[in-house]
Amino acid sequence: MAPPTRLTSADGDSCVWWPEAHNAQNWMRGAISDGFFVDICQKAVASPDKDVLVLIDELNRCNIPSVFGDLMLTLEASKRATYVGNSSETVRASMWDASTTAQLPYSGRTFFVPDNAYVVATTNTTDRSVAPLDAALRRRFAFLRLEPILTELPLPAHISQDIRDVFHRGAISINSVNENALRAVLGPDAILGHSYFHAIAADLGRDGTTDPFAVIARHWRFTVLPQLIDSLRAFNAEEILNPRTRNVWFDHHPELAGAEQTSAIEALHQFDLHLVEDLQIKISVEGTGLARGARVIDA
């Protein structure tokens, strides 16, 4: 085979050309290879007695047409292929009954999704920078909302009891604010998750940590509280973080009254105490008009 030739245009763009590959059919035959999901489906077809799992993180961030393409049709549960062979035979694709198939656009091969291939994806409902999933994709998935778990947070065995107490009081205070204030007042998308506390636990477990209290306080100051402030800012509700304006804010939102309002205010009060007494920090809401906002300061 002759060596490749680099072709360069007047504006500097270049490409590599193989003389023997000038025929488009030959070139495509050499360039096409199966993608990830085709490989997965081939594995599932070859093992009908096993389940094959595909995990997609942050599905709502991806370009859906680019990721799924023709898979959108064959992914639907009613369009899946079922195995009709028996265990004594060598498994072949022809032993799968596919009610709906697709022709792959480049290779021209027939493609189907076996019913033992499962796609599990995560989405972030609170991320306001991405669009919600369209109905065509949503109806091909079942949805399960995963709630924060702040009651079971393991710490490394060597952590002292006083540091454990500070850590768990923080988790309890956030859990109370989540359930009694944020969820009740603003809805489920306003609550904070548990990943912040797993990050704190991981840092506490690192070798060489000489000041575990500073580790906890640093995470609260620079990750937990800024996220809480940002979440409340999105709902125009930063005033509930200010003890002096909290009651006024609730008075202007009568949809939450009686025992629910009392529980919300008490949860926020206990949260204030944890910040000041355990972490020596607090949230200050300052300014006027559009410039008014919350920030973290020393207590």
Side-chain angles (χ1 to χ4, degrees):
M1 181 176 179
T5 301
R6 179 171 294 278
L7 305 178
T8 304
S9 63
D11 57 4
D13 292 335
S14 64
C15 65
V16 177
W17 177 64
W18 279 266
E20 283 80 357
H22 68 278
N23 181 281
Q25 184 176 359
N26 291 338
W27 170 253
M28 293 303 292
R29 183 161 50 240
I32 292 175
S33 61
D34 290 338
F36 170 77
F37 198 77
V38 173
D39 288 339
I40 289 296
C41 288
Q42 287 175 338
K43 289 180 172 63
V45 165
S47 303
D49 58 331
K50 297 179 181 179
D51 292 334
V52 179
L53 186 66
V54 178
L55 300 177
I56 303 176
D57 192 26
E58 298 278 7
L59 176 63
N60 53 333
R61 286 185 176 275
C62 74
N63 184 321
I64 299 299
S66 295
V67 172
F68 287 97
D70 294 320
L71 178 62
M72 286 286 285
L73 174 65
T74 54
L75 188 64
E76 193 167 342
S78 61
K79 306 294 191 296
R80 297 293 193 92
T82 56
Y83 184 64
V84 294
N86 58 65
S87 58
S88 64
E89 298 179 288
T90 301
V91 179
R92 299 187 302 274
S94 60
M95 295 177 179
W96 288 81
D97 180 19
S99 61
T100 302
T101 61
Q103 185 178 45
L104 298 178
Y106 297 113
S107 66
R109 292 158 54 195
T110 299
F111 173 77
F112 62 83
V113 179
D115 61 3
N116 62 332
Y118 295 88
V119 178
V120 176
T122 66
T123 64
N124 185 349
T125 61
T126 62
D127 194 335
R128 299 179 299 279
S129 66
V130 294
L133 299 177
D134 63 46
L137 183 64
R138 287 188 67 89
R139 68 185 178 86
R140 287 165 168 81
F141 286 86
F143 284 79
L144 174 66
R145 184 182 180 92
L146 300 177
E147 300 290 350
I149 302 174
L150 291 162
T151 56
E152 301 175 8
L153 296 167
L155 282 173
H158 69 274
I159 300 299
S160 64
Q161 188 59 49
D162 58 336
I163 295 299
R164 288 177 182 274
D165 291 342
V166 171
F167 176 85
H168 287 298
R169 279 198 295 269
I172 291 171
S173 68
I174 283 290
N175 190 60
S176 181
V177 168
N178 274 348
E179 297 305 318
N180 296 303
L182 301 184
R183 186 192 300 275
V185 177
L186 306 173
D189 284 349
I191 63 179
L192 268 65
H194 50 248
S195 62
Y196 304 102
F197 291 90
H198 287 288
I200 296 174
D203 272 1
L204 289 173
R206 298 186 196 282
D207 293 336
T209 300
T210 58
D211 190 349
F213 172 80
V215 169
I216 297 175
R218 183 174 68 249
H219 276 271
W220 274 83
R221 180 185 283 270
F222 297 113
T223 59
V224 179
L225 295 181
Q227 179 59 42
L228 174 63
I229 291 170
D230 184 68
S231 180
L232 290 174
R233 181 182 296 121
F235 290 92
N236 195 28
E238 287 174 285
E239 296 298 341
I240 70 173
L241 297 174
N242 187 345
R244 293 178 297 177
T245 60
R246 185 173 297 153
N247 290 346
V248 176
W249 190 93
F250 279 104
D251 288 342
H252 284 83
H253 294 79
E255 63 274 13
L256 187 73
E260 287 186 332
Q261 183 180 117
T262 301
S263 296
I265 293 175
E266 178 60 22
L268 290 164
H269 175 66
Q270 293 301 321
F271 180 73
D272 294 336
L273 291 178
H274 169 67
L275 295 183
V276 173
E277 296 178 358
D278 284 334
L279 305 177
Q280 286 78 59
I281 56 179
K282 65 180 181 179
I283 297 176
S284 175
V285 183
E286 306 165 333
T288 60
L290 295 177
R292 187 168 176 79
R295 66 189 182 102
V296 184
I297 62 174
D298 293 329

